[in-house]
Amino acid sequence: MKSEQIVLASRPHGLPSSENFRVEKKDLGPLNDNEVLLKSWYISVDPYMRGRMSNAKSYAQPFQVDQPIVGSVVAKVIESRSKTFIEGDIVSGSLPWATYCIEKAENLRKVDTQAAPPSYSLGILGMPGLTAYFGMMDIGKPKAVETVVISGAAGAVGMVAGQIAKMQGSYVVGIAGSDEKCKILKEQFGFDEAINYKTAKIMTKIIAAACPKGVDVYYDNVGGEITDAVIDNLNFHSRIVLCGQISLYNNTEVPMGPRLFPKLLTRSILVQGFIVSNYSDRFGEAFAHLTQWVNEGTLKYTETIIHGFDKLPDAFLGLFSGKNQGKMLIETD
Ligand code: NDP
C-alpha cells in the first residue's frame, strides 16, 4: 500500500509558508498483530501545531524536521489485525498527515457515528469543544448578571465558549475579524454583541460601548492588543480565561506591550492559564454534556471543510488570517 504524507520540511521563522512543508510518498508494510490500516477521512488543523513546529520547550513535543506532521484525524479502518476494530469502523486518534497509515489499535478511539457526524469529533465533540467547556465552566464561571467577552469568537473554541456562557444567562460579546463573522455570531449563535477588531478604531472604547456594565469574564483566545483593550474594561473580581494567544504565535521576539499587572492587582482579577489535557480525567463529563446540547440543538456548530489532502498546509496557514468560521478541517476525498 502506498501512502502520501506531509512532512515538516523546515522550521518556520515567523509566519509559516508552504515552503515549510513537503509531500512525500511512503510504502506501508504489512500489518502486525493489534494494528489496523487506516484511510484518513477528516484531518484537523489547529493553532497549537504552530508551537510544535518550533523546538521551543512547551507542553507538547516539537515535530521533527523531515518527519510527518501529526494531529487529530478521523479515519476509516480499511484492514484490521486487531480484536478491537473491524473493517469499516470509523476511528479517531493522533495520526500523521497522511492519506493512509498503520496504527496500533490501543492508540485509537471508535467514533460513534450515530451520535453526531464523524467530523464533530475533531471540533465540538473533540478537543476544541472540551477546551471551551472547561475554560468557561471551571475558570470563567459566568453568572447570569455578568458580561462575558470572547476573543477569537468565530473560531472552533470561541463559538462554543460563547454559547456555553449564553446558556448560563450571561450577556455575551464576541470579537472576530470580519463583519460577516460578527453577523453570524449574533444571528446564528446567539451572541448579544460582536465587534470586528479589524475595522474598530479604538478597541478600548468600542469594548466599553458594547459592555456598558464592564467585563466580568474574558475568554482569551488571541492575546496581544485585543487583550490589552479588554483588560482596560475588566471589572473588580473579574476572571481571565487564558486559553490561547494566536496573535503572538508567529512572533520572532517577545513584544513589548503595556504592563498590566497593576490593573490586575488593584481590581483583584484572576488570570488562569490552562491546557485542556489538565482536565483529561473529566473528559467523559464534558463529552456527555456537549453531546446532549448538540443533539438538543442548544449548541449550534459550524465547520469550514476544505477538500483535498494536498490543501492541508494552506488550511493550516489560513488559521492565521481568519479563513475559517468554526472548526477548520480537511476532507481527504
Ligand atoms: P481556530 O483555528 O478555530 O480559529 C483561529 C482564529 O483566530 C482565526 O479564525 C482568526 O479569526 C483568529 N486569529 C488569527 N490570527 C489572529 C490575530 N493575529 N489576531 C486576532 N485573531 C486572530 O482556533 P481555535 O478556536 O481552535 O483556537 C483558539 C485559541 O485557543 C488558539 O489560540 C488556540 O491555540 C487555543 N487553544 C487552546 C487550547 C488549550 O488547551 N488551552 C486548546 C485548543 C485551542 P479572525 O477572523 O477573528 O481573525
Side-chain angles (χ1 to χ4, degrees):
M1 168 68 72
K2 283 205 187 304
S3 174
E4 280 191 355
Q5 62 180 18
I6 296 176
V7 302
L8 182 68
S10 55
R11 297 203 185 279
H13 185 71
L15 185 67
S17 76
S18 51
E19 315 263 290
N20 299 122
F21 303 93
R22 188 174 65 242
V23 182
E24 288 183 345
K25 296 215 182 316
K26 185 180 177 187
D27 277 319
L28 299 178
L31 290 184
N32 293 315
D33 282 347
N34 300 318
E35 288 184 339
V36 291
L37 173 64
L38 300 171
K39 181 177 194 302
S40 296
W41 186 2
Y42 295 104
I43 303 181
S44 178
V45 289
D46 292 276
Y48 81 92
M49 298 172 114
R50 173 64 184 88
R52 297 191 69 185
M53 288 170 193
S54 87
N55 54 12
K57 187 174 167 189
S58 185
Y59 62 92
Q61 288 295 313
F63 296 131
Q64 297 304 313
V65 173
D66 296 331
Q67 294 299 312
I69 307 286
V70 174
S72 300
V73 176
V74 166
K76 293 177 198 172
V77 176
I78 304 294
E79 197 185 325
S80 176
R81 284 191 60 183
S82 138
K83 294 199 176 83
T84 319
F85 300 111
I86 57 167
E87 190 184 321
D89 278 348
I90 306 299
V91 296
S92 69
S94 187
L95 296 170
W97 281 9
T99 50
Y100 294 87
C101 70
I102 290 174
E103 186 58 63
K104 287 195 170 70
E106 69 207 46
N107 297 332
L108 300 167
R109 287 175 303 280
K110 191 162 176 182
V111 174
D112 179 1
T113 53
Q114 304 299 315
S119 60
Y120 281 31
S121 63
L122 300 177
I124 196 162
L125 300 180
M127 186 271 284
L130 296 168
T131 303
Y133 178 92
F134 289 112
M136 194 54 83
M137 299 299 278
D138 266 60
I139 302 172
K141 296 181 181 160
K143 302 185 189 78
V145 292
E146 291 188 321
T147 297
V148 178
V149 170
I150 296 158
S151 58
V157 174
M159 60 173 47
V160 180
Q163 291 181 84
I164 292 175
K166 273 312 303 172
M167 289 163 69
Q168 314 311 308
S170 306
Y171 184 82
V172 177
V173 178
I175 301 175
S178 73
D179 288 344
E180 191 195 343
K181 288 185 181 183
C182 289
K183 189 167 184 280
I184 288 168
L185 287 175
K186 287 170 73 174
E187 293 181 0
Q188 291 181 27
F189 294 95
F191 284 54
D192 297 288
E193 270 306 332
I195 297 167
N196 177 352
Y197 73 90
K198 288 190 178 159
T199 54
K201 288 207 172 69
I202 304 175
M203 271 300 276
T204 304
K205 286 193 176 160
I206 290 179
I207 293 164
C211 306
K213 295 181 182 165
V215 179
D216 300 293
V217 176
Y218 174 42
Y219 195 110
D220 187 12
N221 285 312
V222 307
E225 289 177 11
I226 293 173
T227 293
D228 297 343
V230 179
I231 289 178
D232 269 340
N233 287 284
L234 285 173
N235 288 332
F236 285 89
H237 299 286
S238 52
R239 286 83 70 197
I240 299 177
V241 183
L242 189 47
C243 176
Q245 298 280 285
I246 192 169
S247 76
L248 308 178
Y249 291 171
N250 294 309
N251 282 7
T252 50
E253 289 171 13
V254 178
M256 179 57 74
R259 293 192 165 123
L260 296 170
F261 271 19
K263 274 186 189 142
L264 307 186
L265 168 66
T266 54
R267 295 184 206 170
S268 303
I269 293 166
L270 171 78
V271 185
Q272 172 77 62
F274 77 107
I275 299 300
V276 64
S277 54
N278 299 351
Y279 293 91
S280 55
D281 58 341
R282 287 176 52 206
F283 280 178
E285 159 206 324
F287 184 74
H289 279 126
L290 292 165
T291 307
Q292 184 193 336
W293 295 335
V294 168
N295 289 333
E296 288 170 356
T298 324
L299 261 187
K300 309 235 173 346
Y301 186 57
T302 189
E303 302 166 310
T304 300
I305 298 182
I306 296 179
H307 292 266
F309 175 74
D310 56 335
K311 302 284 192 323
L312 264 167
D314 284 347
F316 172 71
L317 300 176
L319 300 177
F320 299 98
S321 53
K323 295 263 163 54
N324 57 311
Q325 283 176 12
K327 180 73 198 125
M328 179 82 109
L329 297 171
I330 283 286
E331 186 169 7
T332 56
D333 293 330

